[in-house]
Amino acid sequence: MAFREALRSGISISAITATLAFAGGAMPGTAFAQTTQPETPEVTDEARPVTDPDKTGDNVIVVTGFRASLETAVAEKKLSDQIVESITAEDIGKLPDASIGESIARLPGLAAQRLNGRANVVAIRGFGPDFSQTLLNGREQTTTSDNRSVELDQYPSEIVNQVVVYKSPTASLVGQGLVGTIDIRTIRPLETGKQIIAIGARGSWADIGALNAGSKELGYRVNGTFVDQFADDTLGVSVAASYVDEPYQIQEFNAWGYAGTQVNGEDAAVIGGSKSYVTSTRLKRLGINGTVQWQPMSKLTLTLDAFYSNFDDDQTKRGIELPLAFGAPTRFDPAGFTVEDGLVTSGQFNNVRGVIRNDIFQRKADLYSGGFNALWDDDNGFSAFFDFGYSRTDRNELSLESYSGTGFNGPATGRGSAAKITFASGDTGTVFNPSLDYSDPDRIFLTDPLGWGGGAVPQAGYSNNRIIEDELFQFRGEVKKEFDAGFLRSVQLGANYTKREKGLTPDEAFVRLPGGATEVAIPSQFLLRATDLTYLGLGPIVSYDPRDLIAAGVLALEPRVTTGPNAANDVLSKSYTVKEDLVTLYAQANIEQELDIGILTGNVGVQGINTKQDSTGFIFPASGPEIATRGADYWDVLPSANLSLRLDSDWVVRVAAAREIMRPRLDDMRLSIEYGIDNSVPGGLIRGNGGNPFLRPYRANAVDFNVEKYFGTGGVVALQLFYKDIESYVFNGRFAFDYSDFPPPTGIEAFPGLSTEGTLEAPTNTGGGDLYGAELAVTLPFDTLSDTLRGFGVTGGASYTKTGIEDADGNETLIPGYSKWVVNGTAYFERAGFNTRLSARYRSEFLGDFTGFGGSPVRRTAKSETIIDGQIGYDFQAGSTFEGLSLYLQGQNLTDQPFVSTGAQSNQVVDYQLYGRRFLAGFTYKF
């Protein structure tokens, strides 16, 4: 195409080679259906001319390392008809960062939320992970989360060749999100065009140490990649594998919340309780990806690929739960307190009965993904493809709680010692000074210290096992016609069918003491090294593994009854199965027109989606729990347009407009409705709560405007403006609900003529609001300014976003994941084999997603944070003894930045988590 030929003079040839795959007739959103994906640049020490005998004999500029990945990303941005950001592997099996999440978080307008010290989910343009979609080779994926959001640490970075983030959609982009679509792309062996054998390994160490008995300070990961072509380059095979065994450690303060109190007649807040832990996580993950490509004839390409991930996240959490202002037996001593800015910052609580927690959190998941693609591309401008995709996730998530304390606090009387605890609350949470020694095994018993069992039989813990199955089938076909001349470059017509089913089965049990005992001493053979809570002022505490005590019969599980007349409704109400059948039809016209000042390119299209959704779960009428199915059937019509004016002076001006949707959270769509009669209303009123199987998607109308200036070999400055008019949002609220097709509620006999029109408290579609902002992206190799600065450069961006969304009651509130400011930058140097990078990313405060009791989502305000990482390395040069070997040393979170969330006021710290600094040393070797 003409504009692509014109662009060659402004971008390095290696970058063009790597990105022509996406521009040369392959429309975004059909990447998996194409025979061409970006070729990873050859890794050498610096840009230098080489002769490639497989090409025309002309000199080919090959750019190296991190700068090569930046040039490829800049070329991708320039050649795309959409508004995109991307990041590519420096070499086969190596991304510029240790994980995909960390890499994506450095792109303009994107920010990561850390979980257990790992960047596993991202927000795009101020919206959290529930509002974007993640694809693997263009196919929709099942997830290890409760909903649609893909947790990025499930995918090893070593199997990834490129990640592209689409900020504006096209009609041919199937599975798009409301604010963006992330496409993770793996190696395509025929496009790689050469044999590659690469191996790598690294060790890791966190300076925070091994906080729990049995945990480790050191971890490792190993990986290998094989790519080759056979049968005169008509058959290509690639295999990549990665195994990780790494520990993560957390020192955490956590508050139940803050209670209101009166101090000298003035309102103040005081800590209501604390549940603080040290957490040791051992992450084991095996990831394997394989691809086979075959071209039995020049016009036909067949691609078969598969991905498997085994994910085992084993956490040990040990700490003390302290009922304070919210605790019934606890008394706040008003003497000697201090108050600052409405917060009681120091004082004393009396009669505190603490609960020593030795908890286990195990998360195991198997993810299977793959597909088959057949692409026909003849010599007359016609092409067509058929694609089949399959994805499945089997996940088991066990939360096992174990309680111990100084004695049983039953319904008649409380036994055991209570403590006097002085406290000091500040910017890092609350530090305590108790009068008791919680590490004395002669005074600490397995029991129910706070009477949570609610009776004479103590509850010594709780087991909550969440079993989740998620399965997805996807079928897609497309026909495309290209034209040799004229304004219309090509036309695409396609159809897609996606079938998904996701369900949760809860398996819950009480942890009891056998034989009706109320207190049991902890057998000495099960005692472990005491856990140190000195950072909280609490000193050491007794420690053990509750799994060992259950296996030995010291503790016993009493399953909750989930069927029959004595059903545990609170357990049944968590169970659900959601099914979706989506039929997508689309048509897209792609344009290209030469003008006096440059070239106009772009696309205009429309996508229609028919959604049939059904939710199966329990409802709770008078006769007892019943299984029911409810759902909805609706259409969405999504027009889109992307236009790019490519000036001869290497300026590009873009305009994009689209109707965008994101389907609601799967657990919000559950049918698990409890309902009854509110007799406080004259004549009675049916009220219920639960999920909403009739939910419609989030919907918005969006406009984007970009101005981009490209210069040198891989430099760009881009100003990106965007606006979204959000027409439909989802919030929890109370709304009118018709119970006419539900069985009668309990006690209806006492309300003759009761109307079936009642209310339901559940997620509901509300009026929306708007979102607008600006992003500035810069990539600047300094040799563009002066050759003496060759090897130096910077890349990064800053974004400002403003939003206003109304909840179900019409009150303005925040969007989950929203940060007003997101800034990131990387300064780098690469020359003569030496390389170094220093990166920083900042995000202002945001509404973060946390896991609450029973796995339910909880949202709190997370404070601003700045994460600084660094890397130094050396690549042995051509002709040296160790040619192909790269060594590197990385430091993550170098300033030991904490993760902090707050309550109603910014000085009410709810979470204060320290992860420590992580150091990694490793190598890659390419044969």
Side-chain angles (χ1 to χ4, degrees):
M1 294 299 174
F3 87 90
R4 294 176 176 82
E5 296 300 325
L7 289 175
R8 285 182 181 272
S9 61
I11 306 176
S12 73
I13 296 175
S14 64
I16 287 287
T17 303
T19 54
L20 275 177
F22 296 96
M27 296 309 302
T30 60
F32 60 81
Q34 309 305 313
T35 60
T36 51
Q37 286 206 355
E39 178 182 328
T40 303
E42 176 101 24
V43 173
T44 56
D45 66 307
E46 55 186 339
R48 57 187 175 88
V50 298
T51 300
D52 187 341
D54 294 329
K55 300 192 183 292
T56 60
D58 298 331
N59 284 344
V60 177
I61 302 299
V62 178
V63 184
T64 68
F66 183 61
R67 177 171 169 178
S69 70
L70 293 178
E71 289 204 3
T72 304
V74 169
E76 174 80 18
K77 186 179 186 72
K78 186 174 185 178
L79 294 174
S80 176
D81 284 333
Q82 290 171 265
I83 297 173
V84 303
E85 310 291 346
S86 69
I87 194 160
T88 62
E90 295 179 73
D91 195 3
I92 298 296
K94 186 173 69 171
L95 274 174
D97 287 291
S99 76
I100 299 172
E102 291 165 353
S103 297
I104 296 176
R106 303 193 192 286
L107 296 174
L110 277 72
Q113 179 178 339
R114 293 183 291 169
L115 177 66
N116 298 323
R118 308 192 301 268
N120 71 330
V121 296
V122 297
I124 301 176
R125 287 182 165 174
F127 280 79
D130 288 335
F131 304 95
S132 58
Q133 184 70 277
T134 299
L135 312 175
L136 180 63
N137 293 319
R139 301 185 182 104
E140 295 182 63
Q141 297 297 295
T142 56
T143 64
T144 56
S145 70
D146 283 354
N147 293 285
R148 306 180 193 277
S149 58
V150 169
E151 296 180 326
L152 296 170
D153 58 358
Q154 187 74 26
Y155 298 91
S157 60
E158 292 85 357
I159 71 162
V160 175
N161 195 42
Q162 185 185 38
V163 181
V164 177
V165 180
Y166 298 108
K167 292 182 177 177
S168 67
T170 63
S172 60
L173 180 58
V174 174
Q176 57 191 257
L178 184 77
V179 292
T181 306
I182 302 169
D183 191 9
I184 301 171
R185 297 169 176 173
T186 58
I187 301 165
R188 289 294 181 257
L190 288 183
E191 283 67 60
T192 302
K194 55 188 174 184
Q195 183 191 70
I196 297 174
I197 302 174
I199 60 173
R202 81 175 192 199
S204 63
W205 172 71
D207 67 355
I208 199 171
L211 300 181
N212 277 295
S215 65
K216 296 182 177 181
E217 296 181 45
L218 302 177
Y220 69 94
R221 64 192 297 166
V222 293
N223 64 277
T225 303
F226 171 80
V227 183
D228 207 349
Q229 301 78 37
F230 309 93
D232 296 326
D233 291 337
T234 61
L235 179 66
V237 177
S238 67
V239 179
S242 170
Y243 181 75
V244 173
D245 185 346
E246 288 187 327
Y248 292 83
Q249 310 283 345
I250 305 174
Q251 285 184 339
E252 177 185 12
F253 163 79
N254 174 264
W256 287 3
Y258 289 80
T261 187
Q262 286 278 318
V263 179
N264 294 332
E266 298 291 332
D267 291 335
V270 63
I271 183 170
S274 171
K275 185 172 67 173
S276 302
Y277 296 99
V278 292
T279 301
S280 298
T281 298
R282 186 174 183 182
L283 173 64
K284 296 181 180 180
R285 183 192 62 207
L286 171 65
I288 302 174
N289 174 256
T291 300
V292 177
Q293 286 189 296
W294 182 37
Q295 287 185 315
M297 59 184 71
S298 61
K299 300 178 181 179
L300 178 64
T301 302
L302 306 177
T303 303
L304 179 68
D305 60 279
F307 169 72
Y308 169 72
S309 174
N310 175 265
F311 189 87
D312 186 352
D313 190 346
D314 194 332
Q315 292 184 9
T316 299
K317 302 174 73 70
R318 297 191 175 107
I320 301 181
E321 194 158 8
L322 300 172
L324 301 172
F326 288 148
T330 306
R331 296 187 301 274
F332 175 52
D333 187 344
F337 58 82
T338 59
V339 179
E340 296 180 16
D341 296 328
L343 176 69
V344 179
T345 55
S346 66
Q348 179 174 300
F349 288 98
N350 300 324
N351 198 36
V352 179
R353 296 183 179 274
V355 181
I356 296 177
R357 301 287 294 266
N358 283 262
D359 297 352
I360 299 295
F361 183 83
Q362 286 182 318
R363 193 169 185 222
K364 300 178 183 291
D366 289 288
L367 190 154
Y368 311 85
S369 179
F372 171 76
N373 179 267
L375 172 66
W376 177 269
D377 192 353
D378 66 17
D379 298 328
N380 300 315
F382 279 101
S383 62
F385 72 80
F386 167 78
D387 190 88
F388 166 72
Y390 176 78
S391 181
R392 179 182 176 89
T393 299
D394 297 319
R395 172 174 143 224
N396 191 283
E397 191 173 274
L398 172 65
S399 177
L400 178 61
E401 300 177 357
S402 176
Y403 316 142
S404 56
T406 59
F408 174 50
N409 195 354
T413 181
R415 296 198 299 270
S417 302
K420 292 181 180 180
I421 296 182
T422 59
F423 69 94
S425 297
D427 294 339
T428 62
T430 301
V431 176
F432 306 95
N433 184 13
S435 61
L436 291 179
D437 179 5
Y438 293 108
S439 67
D440 185 354
D442 294 329
R443 301 183 64 181
I444 303 298
F445 304 93
L446 300 170
T447 187
D448 189 347
L450 291 180
W452 287 340
V457 179
Q459 179 182 328
Y462 198 78
S463 174
N464 181 4
N465 191 21
R466 307 171 74 244
I467 304 165
I468 298 174
E469 295 181 353
D470 191 0
E471 188 172 47
L472 183 148
F473 295 87
Q474 185 173 3
F475 303 86
R476 183 173 177 183
E478 181 185 285
V479 177
K480 181 177 179 179
K481 169 62 177 175
E482 295 188 354
F483 304 99
D484 293 331
F487 179 73
L488 192 62
R489 188 174 78 219
S490 63
V491 174
Q492 297 168 258
L493 298 174
N496 182 86
Y497 171 67
T498 300
K499 181 180 181 64
R500 184 173 190 175
E501 179 176 332
K502 188 162 189 169
L504 165 64
T505 302
D507 179 13
E508 302 186 17
F510 292 118
V511 177
R512 301 292 196 193
L513 300 173
T518 58
E519 300 172 355
V520 172
I522 306 169
S524 59
Q525 66 268 31
F526 295 110
L527 289 171
L528 303 174
R529 171 176 59 85
T531 302
D532 188 6
L533 301 182
T534 301
Y535 74 100
L536 294 170
L538 295 171
I541 63 170
V542 294
S543 301
Y544 55 87
D545 191 325
R547 292 169 294 190
D548 295 337
L549 297 180
I550 292 173
V554 179
L555 295 174
L557 296 180
E558 180 185 300
R560 302 284 303 276
V561 177
T562 56
T563 58
N566 297 318
N569 289 358
D570 62 315
V571 177
L572 293 180
S573 64
K574 302 172 186 176
S575 175
Y576 67 86
T577 298
V578 174
K579 297 180 181 179
E580 290 181 325
D581 290 302
L582 294 98
V583 176
T584 303
L585 307 174
Y586 63 88
Q588 180 171 307
N590 307 298
I591 63 174
E592 178 180 339
Q593 180 65 48
E594 292 193 28
L595 306 174
D596 291 339
I597 57 174
I599 302 169
L600 178 69
T601 67
N603 54 73
V604 178
V606 63
Q607 188 179 99
I609 306 175
N610 175 245
T611 300
K612 293 181 180 179
Q613 62 190 40
D614 291 307
S615 178
T616 300
F618 284 92
I619 58 177
F620 302 91
S623 57
E626 294 184 9
I627 295 179
T629 300
R630 300 290 188 275
D633 187 339
Y634 56 89
W635 278 88
D636 279 289
V637 178
L638 310 176
S640 62
N642 293 267
L643 297 175
S644 299
L645 179 59
R646 306 169 184 278
L647 304 178
D648 296 334
S649 56
D650 267 341
W651 286 85
V652 178
V653 180
R654 304 183 192 271
V655 177
R659 172 87 165 171
E660 301 171 340
I661 67 168
M662 183 69 197
R663 295 191 297 280
R665 289 173 59 103
L666 289 160
D667 58 354
D668 283 349
M669 296 164 56
R670 72 190 188 280
L671 177 65
S672 298
I673 296 177
E674 297 183 79
Y675 58 100
I677 300 174
D678 182 357
N679 57 19
S680 67
V681 177
L685 179 68
I686 302 177
R687 295 193 187 276
N689 63 83
N692 185 354
F694 309 107
L695 268 183
R696 299 299 196 266
Y698 301 86
R699 295 184 174 115
N701 299 314
V703 178
D704 288 80
F705 177 76
N706 275 28
V707 178
E708 303 162 5
K709 169 61 178 175
Y710 295 86
F711 48 88
T713 57
V716 62
V717 176
L719 176 64
Q720 305 176 166
L721 308 176
F722 57 90
Y723 174 80
K724 294 184 187 293
D725 174 26
I726 302 170
E727 292 187 348
S728 176
Y729 202 79
V730 176
F731 271 109
N732 288 327
R734 180 176 292 176
F735 56 95
F737 191 78
D738 185 2
Y739 290 90
S740 59
D741 64 344
F742 282 63
T746 302
I748 194 172
E749 300 82 5
F751 297 89
L754 179 67
S755 172
T756 59
E757 293 289 335
T759 65
L760 179 66
E761 191 165 340
T764 182
N765 293 100
T766 71
D770 55 15
L771 174 85
Y772 56 91
E775 299 167 351
L776 178 66
V778 177
T779 296
L780 178 62
F782 285 173
D783 59 6
T784 304
L785 308 175
S786 170
D787 190 61
T788 60
L789 299 176
R790 182 163 50 92
F792 291 94
V794 295
T795 183
S799 66
Y800 171 84
T801 307
K802 184 70 175 176
T803 182
I805 298 294
E806 292 185 354
D807 63 17
D809 298 322
N811 301 314
E812 187 170 301
T813 187
L814 293 177
I815 296 173
Y818 165 70
S819 288
K820 181 178 290 187
W821 287 98
V822 175
V823 182
N824 57 69
T826 298
Y828 66 88
F829 170 75
E830 286 189 329
R831 190 168 179 178
F834 291 98
N835 58 83
T836 182
R837 297 200 300 274
L838 185 66
S839 300
R841 63 181 190 267
Y842 165 84
R843 68 180 303 184
S844 59
E845 69 175 28
F846 64 97
L847 194 63
D849 286 320
F850 300 82
T851 300
F853 178 76
S856 59
V858 176
R859 286 170 175 159
R860 293 192 290 271
T861 300
K863 285 198 168 185
S864 61
E865 60 182 17
T866 301
I867 311 298
I868 297 177
D869 304 324
Q871 174 177 311
I872 59 174
Y874 181 75
D875 302 330
F876 287 88
Q877 303 300 284
S880 69
T881 304
F882 300 105
E883 178 183 354
L885 177 64
S886 298
L887 304 176
Y888 63 89
L889 175 66
Q890 294 178 334
Q892 299 175 349
N893 192 26
L894 292 175
T895 58
D896 197 11
Q897 178 76 23
F899 179 81
V900 186
S901 75
T902 60
Q905 303 297 326
S906 61
N907 62 351
Q908 297 176 10
V909 176
V910 176
D911 288 287
Y912 190 92
Q913 299 179 2
L914 281 173
Y915 306 121
R917 303 169 183 84
R918 291 180 63 80
F919 299 94
L920 308 99
F923 76 92
T924 60
Y925 188 80
K926 180 180 174 182
F927 294 89

